[in-house]
Amino acid sequence: MGASARPRLHFTPAAPFFADKNKAFWRLQLIGWAGAMLLRAVTSLANGRPLSLLVIVLIATVTGFSISLILSVIYGRLIHRRPLVTWSATALVLAVAVILSAGINGWVLSLYQAQTSDTGFAGYVLGVFYLDLTLLGAWSALYYAINYFLQVEEQADRLERLEAQATSAQLAMLRYQLNPHFLFNTLNSISTLVLLKQTEPANAMLTRLSAFLRHTLVTQAGGKVTVAQEVHTLQLYLDIERMRFEERLRTQFRIDPAASNAQIPSLLLQPLVENAIKYAVSPQEEGARISLSAQVLGNRLRLVVADTGPGAQGRELAMEQAGSHTQSTGVGLANIRNRLAQAYGEEHRFEISTPPEGGFTVTIELPFDPLPEVPMRGTYPPPAAAAKPAVDPPVHKPPALWATESNT
């Protein structure tokens, strides 16, 4: 039998004990009172008591079990009141419950010992009072302890969900800043082509813009994509920009195979490439080369976006000369910092540098988070391929993804 035909074992993780509170209550109720009955029965037999006394133990256990059910209903209403009301009412209810339990158990014992003992009913009640007080008092303490613990857990879960929703909303807001910024530049270029009556280039740019938007909009806001999918998105974006800059825009991709399946926030690299085009390709007559590399170093993923432009000082000078016009539409590096801080906290590295040979380099390090591969028998294509959004192929797709360089 081939390896692919071997049976596979599937393990379902056990549900938390308190996932179903009603079921958990009955389990604890039965286990607790059964344990108390067993302890009293063993103690009676060890002290040489007759077997008939086990009937008395059984009756006492049923009595305590029944009274505790009534207490659970009353405590369930008291637990949400003010502390003073809760604890004063609990003490009163517990005292009544203990007196009731002791009265029933004392009466049963008086009937059982009627022929052999001269002890009166009051004596039997006092004899079992402390035992019933201990059992019902411990039961009450456990009831409140467990329910307060569950309330704290629920509040913690609720707070965690709210924080996750706030983080997701923040990530979505940061990501939604990208498309308007990019659309502003692209639609402005299309408008210029239309004014110049260059219908064919304008139509081609619109077609590529629609392919890019289809590819980006199918990914969930604040979600993650693989490095391979992010590179494919960049290629779609660069196809649009090459309509503007032609041979002035040169690109180079060097993606290690191990890094291609790593997950990163969607559209994380697009603003970096956009800034490189804005500050390196656009202002220079000869243009510039933009390079992207991705590699796995231990349990970290390193992404490097670099260009051969004027460097950090040249960018600052350009921003000062442009004044508020550059600041008004730029998202850029601040957006990337905020998204990484929201998604990874202190588990990331974001570094900007200007190499000695010039240019501008942005280095990002993230925890290596590969897309899990879940084999599915009889399913084609594999889940990873099936999850990849279906888009139109880019017009200028490089011949290979993992080590490519384009001059056009």
Side-chain angles (χ1 to χ4, degrees):
M1 183 179 294
S4 61
R6 294 177 182 173
R8 296 177 180 176
L9 298 178
H10 299 277
F11 297 96
T12 303
F17 183 80
F18 289 103
D20 188 338
K21 295 182 182 178
N22 188 54
K23 184 182 294 186
F25 170 80
W26 285 106
R27 286 177 178 175
L28 292 175
Q29 183 80 344
L30 292 173
I31 292 173
W33 286 107
M37 183 181 67
L38 180 61
L39 180 61
R40 293 181 67 178
V42 171
T43 302
S44 299
L45 294 177
N47 291 330
R49 299 296 182 89
L51 291 177
S52 58
L53 189 62
L54 297 180
V55 178
I56 305 301
V57 173
L58 177 61
I59 294 174
T61 302
V62 172
T63 301
F65 183 91
S66 303
I67 292 177
S68 66
L69 291 180
I70 300 174
L71 290 178
S72 68
V73 176
I74 298 175
Y75 290 168
R77 296 178 180 274
L78 292 176
I79 196 171
H80 300 292
R81 302 296 183 89
R82 290 179 300 174
L84 180 61
V85 176
T86 298
W87 299 121
S88 58
T90 297
L92 179 61
V93 171
L94 178 60
V96 173
V98 172
I99 293 173
L100 178 61
S101 177
I104 295 174
N105 292 329
W107 176 70
V108 172
L109 276 174
S110 66
L111 294 178
Y112 177 76
Q113 301 275 350
Q115 305 296 329
T116 60
S117 176
D118 296 333
T119 305
F121 171 72
Y124 287 114
V125 171
L126 291 176
V128 298
F129 181 84
Y130 294 103
L131 178 60
D132 290 344
L133 176 61
T134 301
L135 287 176
L136 293 177
W139 186 94
S140 301
L142 284 174
Y143 179 90
Y144 279 111
I146 292 173
N147 279 275
Y148 279 126
F149 169 77
L150 292 178
Q151 287 183 4
V152 171
E153 288 290 311
E154 289 177 357
Q155 292 176 358
D157 292 341
R158 190 180 302 112
L159 179 61
E160 185 177 352
R161 288 195 299 269
L162 291 175
E163 290 178 350
Q165 291 173 1
T167 300
S168 178
Q170 178 70 9
L171 289 172
M173 182 191 70
L174 292 172
R175 184 193 170 200
Y176 287 151
Q177 295 178 27
L178 299 176
N179 283 342
H181 179 65
F182 166 65
L183 287 174
F184 175 82
N185 291 333
T186 305
L187 294 177
N188 187 48
S189 299
I190 294 174
S191 175
T192 302
L193 292 175
V194 172
L195 291 176
L196 295 176
K197 297 183 179 181
Q198 298 182 13
T199 306
E200 185 174 349
N203 183 60
M205 185 172 286
L206 278 174
T207 302
R208 296 168 187 178
L209 176 62
S210 66
F212 173 78
L213 291 180
R214 272 203 309 273
H215 187 86
T216 57
L217 292 177
V218 294
T219 58
Q220 187 177 13
K224 293 184 178 182
V225 297
T226 63
V227 171
Q229 290 172 330
E230 182 77 356
V231 170
H232 186 54
T233 304
L234 287 177
Q235 291 172 347
L236 290 172
Y237 167 74
L238 290 169
D239 281 334
I240 298 173
E241 295 294 354
R242 286 194 182 95
M243 293 288 298
R244 299 169 56 196
F245 298 103
E246 298 179 344
E247 71 278 356
R248 294 171 59 198
L249 173 58
R250 302 178 295 277
T251 59
Q252 182 181 50
F253 294 89
R254 296 191 179 277
I255 312 298
D256 289 349
S260 63
N261 204 37
Q263 298 185 95
I264 60 175
S266 61
L267 291 182
L268 178 69
L269 303 178
Q270 192 264 352
L272 299 178
V273 175
E274 184 175 356
N275 280 346
I277 292 176
K278 185 175 183 178
Y279 295 109
V281 179
S282 180
Q284 299 186 125
E285 292 185 4
E286 70 278 11
R289 185 182 73 251
I290 302 173
S291 61
L292 167 65
S293 66
Q295 57 181 328
V296 178
L297 302 175
N299 61 347
R300 307 281 291 177
L301 171 69
R302 176 178 292 177
L303 303 167
V304 179
V305 178
D307 63 62
T308 56
Q313 294 181 351
R315 292 192 179 200
E316 293 176 359
L317 180 62
M319 292 174 63
E320 291 177 1
Q321 292 175 350
S324 60
H325 298 289
T326 302
Q327 300 288 347
S328 62
T329 58
V331 177
L333 302 180
N335 184 291
I336 298 296
R337 286 194 183 96
N338 290 334
R339 293 187 69 191
L340 291 175
Q342 288 288 334
Y344 299 99
E346 297 181 356
E347 295 296 320
H348 77 280
R349 171 181 166 229
F350 184 86
E351 185 177 281
I352 299 172
S353 61
T354 299
E357 63 274 13
F360 189 81
T361 301
V362 177
T363 303
I364 298 174
E365 285 191 6
L366 309 172
F368 178 53
D369 180 23
L371 183 70
E373 297 182 359
V374 182
M376 298 176 64
R377 189 180 303 171
T379 301
Y380 186 84
K388 184 176 180 179
V391 298
D392 295 339
V395 178
H396 296 281
K397 187 174 182 179
L401 175 63
W402 313 127
T404 66
E405 186 167 0
S406 175
N407 295 322
T408 60

